[in-house]
Amino acid sequence: MATPVRVEAAGGEYMENVVVLEWSVEPGATVTAGDTLVTVETAKAATEIPAPVDGFLTAIFAEPGMEVPLSAVLGLIGTTAEDTAFEAKAEAKGATEGALAKPEPIVREQISSAGAASARRIVASPAARVRARSMGIDLRAVRASSPSGRIKLRDLASTQVLDGGPNMSRTPATALPADEAGRLNVIRSGAPGNIPVVMIHGFGADGPSWSPIERDLARQRPVLRLELPNHGKSPRRRMTSFSELAREIAIAFDDLQLPTVHLVGHSLGGACALALADIRPKRIASLALIAPAGLGPRIDGDFIEGFAGASSPVSLGPWLRHMVADPKIIGDDFVRAAMASRADPDQRAAQRQMARDLFPDSTQSFDLRAALERLTCPTRTIWGKADAILPWQQALSVPGEIALHLLATTGHVPHLEKPEVVAKILRDHFASTETRP
Amino acid sequence: MAMMRYAEALNAALREEMSRDPSVFMFGEDIGRYGGVFKVSRGLMEEFGESRVRDTPISEQALTAMAVSAAMTGTRPILEIMYADFIPLCMDALVNQASVFGYLWEGQVEMPFVLRTQGGGGVGTGAQHAKSLDSFLTHIPGIKVVAPVTPADAKGMLKSAIRDAQPVIFLEHKLLYNMRGEVPDGEDELVPLGKARLVRPGRDVSIFATSKMVIEAEAAAVQLAKDGIDAEVIDLRTLRPLDLASIKASIARTHHAVVVNEGWTFCGYAAELSATIMDHCFDDLDAPVARVAMPDMPIPYSEPLEAAVIPNAARIAEAARRVLA
């Protein structure tokens, strides 16, 4: 059970928020009670927050520059290097008031507007109020999307996304975790201006896995990285079929309310992108499929099961190296970082179930080749010739007018293995559609 | 299973229960020789005789008092009131007798009678023959009120109502009698009173409807599905006592509720449902409950005007979109 790091001791009684300045300790490092962990700016001065107990710094929720309420949990100190489970209830003053004791999320809000907003009565639906209370969301920071002006449940889902609030770790469960409500998470970056690009990652990955090419693309346009159910910070929900997954993606896409986007998907995310382009054809300016699923029955089932189930860097490393053509690019740091993003056992269990539902008996249970024939937007496929997960020969079923980039000495993750090449292909692809008459 | 019309399913229930229990008998206007204006009791007088299937003069007030007295003295009467519009004539026997005698005599009397009637509009029967006065009846404690929609429920619930120890008002709808559906075989295939029916599961909004409005709600759900809205439709079946557990469970899933009833809006059954949902599900609601009901006005005789005011699929779908906005 991990101990939360809080800021409360540092504030004066007239303060509600502090700004995080700097962490003195790296995630994963050993700490001793009393060590300075993090420095925050209060109304008076910079204040150092000491470690409350001995252990390992297993999570950082509040990045430097963020403004957080006094009661926020800044990070976690675990008893082991992977211990991120903590129960807010256990440390409540009145142990029965579990909901009130949960940490407040980190809310980025402008100090100047916060004062004015707090004076107004907040109009929110009863369900949204209850959910916000239990999640520790400050409704003043939530924008209502309904024409009624009332904050609804869906608005909370997107708030959680924007704020990157603390991931409330739960005690590890052996059974499949219960379905969670809420919308899929979207990580936003990039400059406004050109047509935005929406990126959908593959099975077992997450939004940040696009980082090798994200910065390049973000220079020219907004980048929205959508996270699949049971992945990243998206809710855990059983997806019993690909059509159910496609429906979730369509709901999340509609929520973005973007008139036109470039769509990029990798692996399972490629299949999702293809399905989305099929059902929302008018809103897709271009489509890029990187080693997409759904174009043939074959898939490496051992990999899917092994990768989804790996619970330590030792077991995860070999599977990560299996994904790429050159195993040397997957160093120990990479494996540790990948494992850290997969620390939640509930999430791993949910992903395993998802794999069993979507890829029973090492078979892709869905076939999107017909959707490919119906596409009207400019489309390119990118595939590594050394892909050990989805054989590149599946690209041969692609209709002739769709471009195919076959990358030599490249495995299943071209955007990781050949980021410059993939970024250039995508830039050219987007530009060619944007300059068309 | 047998394919039956709603009226045939009711007829089968009456026949089976009269055969099963000699204390069951029925009376009402034109139910015997004529077989009932909607042919629900067709052939029963021939089969069971004039003493058990009785034609009566036109006096709803007297008929209802007769049902109460006969039930108290050990028989199981089934009274047919030809149109629900005449329910006000029955009120004294229901409000001051049927619903209170059990209490006044400390449970020494049972009141096992069924009052069948039919209401609703849509076929140009005008201001005196098309009303849904559900809330007049559901307002009375001590009386059960049911309104089955499918032939299977019509048969199974009428049998349950006849066997019930309390007064049961059995609401039919003139546009349901010709609807067909599968009905389970077997004399003891009962459908319990007090349990709603999940017509169609959905994730986005719960539509609670009664009687013919269930059919409209199903059509609304089909329209909504085209826009990607996944509506759940629940047929309440029993209007009182309400199946609160099903209502709560549905709203806990969808967080949005539309309530539909063909009666008038103000102080109507939809209003009661809405208030009950507010009482029990407030913290699950993501939007105010929307009511779809008859405007507060007489039902026009002109069919186009009637169609303009009776709740329908389009108005239900519009209400669902409004709560989801």
Side-chain angles (χ1 to χ4, degrees), chain A residues 125-128 130-131 133 145-148 150-154 181 183 237 239 244 247-248 251, chain B residues 203-204 227-230 252-256 281-288 321-325:
Chain A
S125 79
V130 170
R131 179 83 56 85
R133 203 178 304 135
S145 60
S146 169
S148 66
R150 194 182 292 117
I151 295 168
K152 300 190 71 174
L153 283 174
R154 59 172 184 245
R183 296 303 199 206
R237 265 204 294 272
M239 294 287 122
E244 201 175 346
R247 189 177 125 76
E248 284 282 350
I251 291 170
Chain B
R203 284 168 46 165
D204 298 331
D227 297 343
I229 296 171
D230 189 11
R253 284 193 297 272
T254 65
H255 304 290
H256 295 89
C281 311
F282 185 77
D283 282 332
D284 275 329
L285 287 172
D286 205 17
R321 291 193 184 96
R322 198 170 63 237
V323 298
L324 285 168

